Amino acid sequence: MISVTKDFKMIDGGVCAAAGFTANGCNCGLNKDKNKNDLGMVFSKTLCNAAAVYTTNKVKGAPIIVTKRHLEATGGKTHGFIVNSKNANTCNADGEEKAQKMCELAADVLGVAADEIVVASTGVIGQKLPIEPIASHVSELAAGLSPDNHGKAANAIMTTDTVQKEVAVEFEIGGIICHMGGMAKGSGMIHPNMATTLNFVTTDAAVSSEMLQKALSDIVKITYNCLSIDGDTSTNDCVLLLANGLAGNAEINADGEDYETFKAALYTVMMNMTRMLAKDGEGATKLLECTCFGAPDLDTAIIVAKSVIRSPLLKCAMFGEDANWGRILCAIGYAEADFDIDKVDVDIASAKGTISVCKNGSGVDFSEEKAKEVLGEDEIYIDINLNQGNTAAKAWGCDLTYDYVKINGDYRT
Amino acid sequence: MISVTKDFKMIDGGVCAAAGFTANGCNCGLNKDKNKNDLGMVFSKTLCNAAAVYTTNKVKGAPIIVTKRHLEATGGKTHGFIVNSKNANTCNADGEEKAQKMCELAADVLGVAADEIVVASTGVIGQKLPIEPIASHVSELAAGLSPDNHGKAANAIMTTDTVQKEVAVEFEIGGIICHMGGMAKGSGMIHPNMATTLNFVTTDAAVSSEMLQKALSDIVKITYNCLSIDGDTSTNDCVLLLANGLAGNAEINADGEDYETFKAALYTVMMNMTRMLAKDGEGATKLLECTCFGAPDLDTAIIVAKSVIRSPLLKCAMFGEDANWGRILCAIGYAEADFDIDKVDVDIASAKGTISVCKNGSGVDFSEEKAKEVLGEDEIYIDINLNQGNTAAKAWGCDLTYDYVKINGDYRT
C-alpha cells in the first residue's frame, strides 16, 4: 500500500555497510559512565554528495547552524561528521564557536578542510559544551576509524535510548550491487516536523545532489515525520544522507526506475529505523503502528494517523491494554483535515488477531476477552479506513507509561 | 495586563448565584457509586438568552447536536439544561434520539417545551446510554430544584474530577447589582479548541443574545481555550452561558462601559474555573500558569503560552521539580507563530520567589538550590517575555504524573 515498498536483502554493517565508509566512537568524558560512548565519527575518504533535513524548531542547535553553513559553502559536499551526546550545545552564547571548533578538530586529524566536515550534538539544552574532552580524544577517535566500528558510533549517539539502532540493505542499480545503511538515536522529545532526531544514512550508490535531496525529503515525510513519541519537536533534529558513489553505478540524476529503486531502499532503511525509534520511545512497553487507509490524499492520511499516534489518552489506554476505541475516534475527530467522520471504520490488531471496534463512526460489539488478548502483545496495529479515497499512510509511536514520567521527571541529573 | 481584569466581589452560590436559577443533582444509577451524583438539572422559570460554544472535534457528542438544534429552533432561548456524567452518549447510532429524549423528559416535568431545554453528557465514548435510569429519576430531580442545590448539580457533572468547581461574582451594571456564577467539570481529554469541556455559566444580567455570544466567544478564547491538560480535544466540549435578565438592568445590547464590565465579570468567572480545571487535571500535583508578555499580538501570545503548557517533557520536569528550562525554550521554539527567538527571556516563579533562567534566548546561571525551593510549591508560574510587542496572554495546565498514566490506563472499568 505504501508505493515505495520493495523487498530488499537486509544486511549488517549499519552506517558502514556501504563501501568506503568508516566509523568510530569513544567515551571522551562528557558521559560519566565510561562504558557508554559519547563521541562518534563517520568518514569517507571519497567526498560525498550530502542531503539534509533539519528541525523546524525556531530554537536551532548550534550544530545545525554550522552544518547548514558548511554544506552551503561546499555545494553540498562532505567527508563525514563528528557527533556527541550528553550535551545538545543549544541555547548557549558560545554554541556556534564550539560547533565550528568540533569540525576543525575533526578536519585537522582527518586531513580535510573544516567545511568538509559537518557536526551534530544531542543531550541537555542550555549547558555550555566543554570542548577539552573532545579536543583530547579526537586523534584517538580518528585513529580507530574502521568499517567494523559502526556499532561504536551508533552507541555514541544514544541518550535515553535503550538499544542501538542500525539498519542496512543491499539493492541493485543497473546490475550493480549498492549498499545503504543508517544509524539513529532518539527516545524522547520526538515529534519530528520536516526533520527528526539524529539520523545518519550512508550509501555507496552514485546519486546527484539534487536527486539525493529529493529522495530524502520525500521519504522523511512518510517515515520520520510520521513518528511521535511525545509531541515535543527537538531543537537538534537532523537527518543526513551521504552518498560517495563508490558502488560504481551510473549516477542517478533523474526520475526513473533507478531513482525509484533508490528511493525504495531509502524507505526501507528509514522506515525500519523509525519503527525502532518508536519501539524504544522513553518508557515504552509497546510499539503502536497506525495505518490510515482509504484517504482522499496523502496529507489527510498522514494527519489522521499522526493525530491518533500522538493522543496521550490513547497511549495510556494501550499501556493499560484497554480497548478504549472512543479515544481513537476522538483523535481522528480532532485531526485537522477535511473528511467525513461518519464513514470511518477502525480495527485494532496484533499477532494475536484483529478486533473490529467501529463501523461508520459508531461502535460495534466486540469480545473484551479477545481484545485483552490482542492488546497483550508488544506491537499493536491500529487500522483506520476512512472509506473516502485510495491513499494510505502510516504513523508510529508508543504507549505512555509510568517510566516516561520517571525518566523525564529528572532528566538533567 | 489582561485588559478585561477587574476586581469583583467573589460570592457563593455557583450556578444559582444569579436570581431565578435553581438546580439539583442526584444519583440515578449510571454511576454505581451511590454517593456520587450522575444526573443534574439547572432551571430558570424566566426564559433565558443563551450563548454557546461547542467542540471543534469532528466527532460531536449527540447532546451537542441536539443542543445546537434546540437553540436554533428557539432563536437562542432556553429555560435550562439536563446533564449526565459517566456516559458521553457519543458514537452511538441511537445517540441523538436518546439526547432528544432527555430534553423531552426534563421538559415534561418542568412544564416547558422540549426545545426550550438543552442537554449535555460526559463520560465514556461509544457505550449506549441507558435512558431508563434517567426517565425514572427526572421527576425527583425536578421536584428538588432549589437555589441551594447548586452543589448537587456541580457534583453530578464530575467524572475523574477530584473537586467540585464553582465560582460566582457580584458586579454592577448602571447602579444595579447583578450576579454571575458557573460550574465546570473536566480533568482529562482537555485541550479545548474554540470550546472546552462542560462549563455552565448563569447570570441575572439582561444582555442581548448577540452581545452574550460575542462576550462568550471573546472570553473563551483567553480562558478555556488556553487550558491544556493533555492535548486531547474532547468530543463533548461545551460552554453554555444563560442570562435571564432578572437583575433588572437596562439590557446590554451594544459595546460600551456596561458591556466591558459584563465581559470582565465573565472573564473572572471563566478564568477562575479554568485555573480550577488545570489544578485538578488528571493526576496533577501542580498548577502551571504560563504568561507570555511582550508579544506582537494576542494570537502569538496565546500560541506561545499554550505550546509551553502542552509540552509533556516540561510537564514531567515540573512534576520532578527540575528547572529544565531548555524544555521551555524548545516548546517556545516549535510554537507555530512568527517571532524572534533570540530576544526571549524566561523566568520561573512561585510563592517562594523567582528565578531568571534565560535571557535573549540563551541560558543564564541560577542557583539550583533556589530553583528546588521555587519548584517545590504547588502553583508554578512560567513568565515568558518575547520582548517584541505589548500584548500578553496566559495559559493554564498541570504537571504530568504517574497518576495520569494510572487513571487513563484503565478508564473504562
Side-chain angles (χ1 to χ4, degrees):
Chain A
M1 44 126 280
I2 305 287
S3 61
V4 286
T5 305
K6 285 195 187 183
D7 276 333
F8 293 106
K9 185 179 163 196
M10 308 301 287
I11 57 176
D12 290 331
V15 84
C16 298
F21 286 95
T22 56
N24 197 18
C26 69
N27 176 288
C28 74
L30 293 171
N31 195 319
K32 297 304 163 214
D33 175 2
K34 292 288 168 199
N35 296 315
K36 167 70 181 72
N37 293 344
D38 53 22
L39 190 64
M41 191 182 267
V42 172
F43 181 65
S44 163
K45 268 191 192 155
T46 307
L47 203 58
C48 306
N49 283 343
V53 178
Y54 310 98
T55 184
T56 55
N57 197 312
K58 279 183 197 67
V59 180
K60 290 191 204 311
I64 296 268
I65 295 165
V66 171
T67 291
K68 263 187 169 167
R69 190 190 300 148
H70 284 191
L71 290 180
E72 276 163 23
T74 59
K77 307 277 182 190
T78 189
H79 277 290
F81 57 89
I82 182 167
V83 56
N84 72 278
S85 55
K86 206 68 189 173
N87 186 314
N89 190 20
T90 297
C91 296
N92 299 322
D94 64 356
E96 284 186 45
E97 186 190 318
K98 296 278 179 71
Q100 174 66 27
K101 186 70 188 172
M102 283 177 69
C103 293
E104 288 168 9
L105 287 166
D108 274 357
V109 293
L110 294 167
V112 300
D115 60 8
E116 288 169 347
I117 295 292
V118 294
V119 58
S121 299
T122 181
V124 178
I125 297 171
Q127 291 185 356
K128 290 201 177 183
L129 176 69
I131 202 75
E132 192 281 324
I134 299 170
S136 60
H137 286 77
V138 73
S139 297
E140 167 196 334
L141 194 67
L145 282 170
S146 151
D148 297 332
N149 286 342
H150 56 90
K152 291 187 180 175
N155 183 275
I157 61 176
M158 292 166 66
T159 52
T160 52
D161 305 66
T162 66
V163 294
Q164 286 179 206
K165 299 170 182 83
E166 298 180 275
V167 179
V169 297
E170 195 175 284
F171 59 105
E172 215 178 299
I173 300 284
I176 305 284
I177 301 290
C178 302
H179 310 85
M180 182 189 291
M183 62 180 188
K185 69 79 45 178
S187 193
M189 204 180 274
I190 302 190
H191 182 70
N193 192 8
M194 303 297 286
T196 181
T197 182
L198 299 187
N199 290 267
F200 306 97
V201 181
T202 58
T203 181
D204 45 23
V207 188
S208 73
S209 292
E210 190 194 347
M211 297 312 284
L212 204 63
Q213 185 67 48
K214 187 177 169 193
L216 183 63
S217 298
D218 282 359
I219 300 300
V220 160
K221 179 173 176 169
I222 58 172
T223 57
Y224 296 143
N225 280 4
C226 291
L227 166 67
S228 188
I229 302 299
D230 50 18
D232 275 305
T233 301
S234 157
T235 53
N236 286 46
D237 287 348
C238 180
V239 194
L240 270 176
L241 169 59
L242 309 185
N244 66 10
L246 289 182
N249 60 296
E251 191 186 70
I252 299 170
N253 52 25
D255 286 337
E257 194 188 331
D258 290 352
Y259 175 70
E260 290 304 319
T261 301
F262 178 78
K263 213 164 86 162
L266 188 59
Y267 177 77
T268 304
V269 169
M270 288 174 54
M271 186 274 285
N272 277 288
M273 289 207 291
T274 301
R275 286 186 107 243
M276 291 169 103
L277 288 164
K279 193 159 186 171
D280 194 30
E282 281 175 343
T285 69
K286 290 179 196 297
L287 168 74
L288 308 181
E289 181 173 297
C290 178
T291 309
C292 176
F293 303 90
D297 54 70
L298 183 62
D299 286 344
T300 300
I302 289 173
I303 289 164
V304 168
K306 281 182 78 167
S307 184
V308 170
I309 282 297
R310 186 179 179 174
S311 160
L313 289 169
L314 172 67
K315 289 155 68 76
C316 288
M318 292 296 100
F319 173 55
E321 302 181 356
D322 178 16
N324 193 338
W325 63 270
R327 293 181 174 173
I328 301 174
L329 252 280
C330 178
I332 297 171
Y334 63 66
E336 293 184 354
D338 191 27
F339 57 90
D340 181 356
I341 191 78
D342 294 329
K343 293 185 176 172
V344 175
D345 301 336
V346 180
D347 292 350
I348 303 175
S350 74
K352 285 284 166 61
T354 300
I355 48 167
S356 181
V357 292
C358 174
K359 281 269 176 203
N360 300 318
S362 288
V364 289
D365 288 336
F366 59 88
S367 151
E368 291 282 353
E369 201 183 335
K370 176 76 180 173
K372 267 280 171 224
E373 203 189 338
V374 167
L375 292 174
E377 293 293 292
D378 65 357
E379 297 197 358
I380 306 294
Y381 302 88
I382 299 165
D383 293 332
I384 297 162
N385 196 334
L386 297 186
N387 288 307
Q388 44 209 292
N390 295 305
T391 312
K394 284 178 186 287
W396 297 268
C398 60
D399 53 349
L400 176 55
T401 70
Y402 299 125
D403 280 352
Y404 178 86
V405 177
K406 187 172 180 184
I407 292 165
N408 287 299
D410 202 8
Y411 174 63
R412 293 188 310 157
T413 50
Chain B
M1 43 128 278
I2 305 286
S3 62
V4 287
T5 305
K6 283 195 189 184
D7 276 333
F8 293 105
K9 185 178 163 195
M10 307 301 287
I11 56 175
D12 291 331
V15 84
C16 299
F21 287 95
T22 56
N24 198 19
C26 69
N27 176 286
C28 74
L30 293 171
N31 195 320
K32 298 303 164 212
D33 174 2
K34 291 290 168 199
N35 296 315
K36 167 71 181 72
N37 292 344
D38 52 23
L39 190 65
M41 192 182 267
V42 171
F43 180 66
S44 163
K45 267 190 190 154
T46 308
L47 203 58
C48 306
N49 283 344
V53 179
Y54 310 99
T55 184
T56 55
N57 197 312
K58 280 182 196 67
V59 180
K60 290 191 204 311
I64 297 268
I65 296 165
V66 171
T67 291
K68 264 187 167 166
R69 190 190 298 147
H70 285 191
L71 289 180
E72 276 162 22
T74 60
K77 307 278 181 189
T78 189
H79 277 288
F81 56 89
I82 182 167
V83 56
N84 73 279
S85 54
K86 206 68 188 174
N87 186 313
N89 190 19
T90 297
C91 297
N92 299 322
D94 64 354
E96 284 186 46
E97 185 191 317
K98 296 278 180 70
Q100 175 65 28
K101 185 71 187 170
M102 283 177 70
C103 293
E104 287 168 10
L105 287 166
D108 273 358
V109 292
L110 294 166
V112 300
D115 58 9
E116 288 169 347
I117 295 293
V118 294
V119 59
S121 299
T122 181
V124 178
I125 297 171
Q127 291 185 355
K128 289 200 176 183
L129 176 69
I131 202 75
E132 192 282 324
I134 299 169
S136 60
H137 286 77
V138 73
S139 297
E140 168 196 333
L141 193 68
L145 282 170
S146 152
D148 297 332
N149 286 343
H150 55 90
K152 291 187 180 176
N155 182 274
I157 61 176
M158 291 167 67
T159 52
T160 52
D161 305 65
T162 66
V163 294
Q164 285 179 206
K165 298 169 183 84
E166 298 180 274
V167 179
V169 297
E170 196 175 285
F171 59 106
E172 216 178 297
I173 300 283
I176 305 284
I177 302 289
C178 303
H179 310 86
M180 182 188 292
M183 63 180 186
K185 67 81 44 178
S187 194
M189 203 179 276
I190 302 191
H191 182 72
N193 191 8
M194 304 297 287
T196 181
T197 180
L198 299 187
N199 290 267
F200 307 97
V201 181
T202 59
T203 181
D204 46 23
V207 188
S208 72
S209 292
E210 189 194 347
M211 297 312 283
L212 205 61
Q213 185 66 49
K214 188 178 168 194
L216 182 63
S217 298
D218 282 358
I219 301 300
V220 160
K221 179 174 176 168
I222 57 173
T223 56
Y224 297 143
N225 280 4
C226 292
L227 167 66
S228 188
I229 302 300
D230 51 19
D232 276 304
T233 301
S234 157
T235 53
N236 287 46
D237 286 348
C238 180
V239 195
L240 270 175
L241 169 58
L242 308 185
N244 66 11
L246 288 181
N249 61 297
E251 190 186 70
I252 300 170
N253 51 24
D255 285 337
E257 195 189 329
D258 290 351
Y259 175 69
E260 291 305 317
T261 301
F262 178 78
K263 212 165 84 162
L266 188 59
Y267 176 77
T268 304
V269 169
M270 288 175 53
M271 187 274 285
N272 278 288
M273 289 207 292
T274 300
R275 287 186 105 242
M276 292 169 104
L277 288 165
K279 193 158 185 172
D280 194 29
E282 281 174 344
T285 69
K286 289 179 196 298
L287 168 73
L288 309 180
E289 180 173 298
C290 178
T291 309
C292 176
F293 303 91
D297 54 70
L298 184 61
D299 285 344
T300 299
I302 289 173
I303 289 165
V304 169
K306 282 182 77 169
S307 184
V308 170
I309 282 296
R310 186 180 179 174
S311 160
L313 289 170
L314 172 67
K315 289 156 68 78
C316 287
M318 292 297 100
F319 174 55
E321 302 181 356
D322 178 17
N324 193 337
W325 62 271
R327 293 181 173 171
I328 301 174
L329 252 280
C330 178
I332 297 171
Y334 63 66
E336 293 184 354
D338 192 27
F339 57 89
D340 181 357
I341 192 78
D342 295 328
K343 293 185 178 171
V344 175
D345 301 336
V346 180
D347 292 350
I348 303 175
S350 75
K352 286 283 167 60
T354 299
I355 49 166
S356 181
V357 292
C358 173
K359 281 269 175 203
N360 300 318
S362 289
V364 289
D365 288 337
F366 59 89
S367 151
E368 291 282 353
E369 203 183 334
K370 176 77 179 170
K372 267 280 170 225
E373 204 189 338
V374 167
L375 292 174
E377 293 293 291
D378 66 356
E379 297 197 359
I380 306 295
Y381 302 88
I382 298 165
D383 293 332
I384 297 162
N385 196 334
L386 296 187
N387 288 307
Q388 44 209 293
N390 295 306
T391 312
K394 283 179 187 288
W396 297 268
C398 60
D399 53 349
L400 175 56
T401 70
Y402 299 125
D403 280 352
Y404 178 86
V405 177
K406 187 172 179 186
I407 292 165
N408 287 300
D410 203 8
Y411 175 63
R412 293 187 311 155
T413 50

